[in-house]
Amino acid sequence: MFRIDQSVRDPPADGGDRHDAGRGELLQLACARLRALGAPYTSVYAYMLHGAELVLEAHAGRDTEHTRIPVGAGVCGTAVATGTDQNVPDVGAVGNYLACNLDTKAELVVLIRRGETILGQLDIDSDVPGGFGEQEYADVKAVTDALAVLL
């Protein structure tokens, strides 16, 4: 299991303080560390909420053309609109799915929240059908909870 809260709190080699790291650096670290775990984490995207739109601020894995997603659109926008995390084992079965890649089979979206306020989300694509179980969800939730404190 990966814990971003520990890795970002450990002092970096240059002696600096991770709490001084910018938002983009923390989001990029979270994306890269999750993707480094391998399957089912094919691509990891960090979207932050800007008004009624999710804006891609960091990612690891495949590029996406979806750099801005309106609240309510696709799995990512649905998560914000409903205020609930989304675990989609078969993206082909979802009518409003916004495809980043034709090889993606499953998607997990976990909101970054501070109390009731939604700050953004981590969106993970997997080439593994039904790739996200309870353990993967718990691992990503731990990362989003840490990000909510650190951002």
Side-chain angles (χ1 to χ4, degrees):
M1 184 179 89
F2 166 72
R3 292 183 46 141
I4 189 171
D5 55 341
Q6 183 60 43
S7 69
V8 296
R9 290 175 191 207
D10 288 341
D14 64 7
D17 183 353
R18 280 280 185 220
H19 289 284
D20 292 336
R23 177 162 103 170
E25 182 182 343
L26 290 172
L27 293 171
Q28 188 60 48
L29 176 65
C31 292
R33 292 286 178 93
L34 282 170
R35 182 162 187 279
L37 295 174
Y41 303 94
T42 302
S43 296
V44 182
Y45 306 94
Y47 288 95
M48 298 306 289
L49 191 59
H50 294 263
E53 189 172 57
L54 289 159
V55 177
L56 181 66
E57 293 194 15
H59 81 282
R62 297 179 182 130
D63 290 335
T64 179
E65 65 186 52
H66 303 289
T67 59
R68 296 172 113 44
I69 301 172
V71 171
V75 177
C76 290
T78 297
V80 174
T82 62
T84 57
D85 299 335
Q86 306 287 305
N87 187 349
V88 180
D90 178 6
V91 296
V94 177
N96 69 343
Y97 175 65
L98 299 175
C100 289
N101 185 284
L102 295 177
D103 293 324
T104 299
K105 305 292 186 239
E107 183 171 11
L108 177 65
V109 176
V110 182
L111 297 169
I112 302 168
R113 304 174 172 267
R114 189 174 298 137
E116 294 299 313
T117 302
I118 297 171
L119 305 175
Q121 63 187 220
L122 290 181
D123 169 31
I124 299 107
D125 288 354
S126 180
D127 292 354
V128 178
F132 303 108
E134 290 181 25
Q135 186 60 57
E136 290 81 14
Y137 174 76
D139 290 347
V140 175
K141 180 76 171 114
V143 173
T144 60
D145 288 349
L147 285 171
V149 172
L150 296 169
L151 294 177

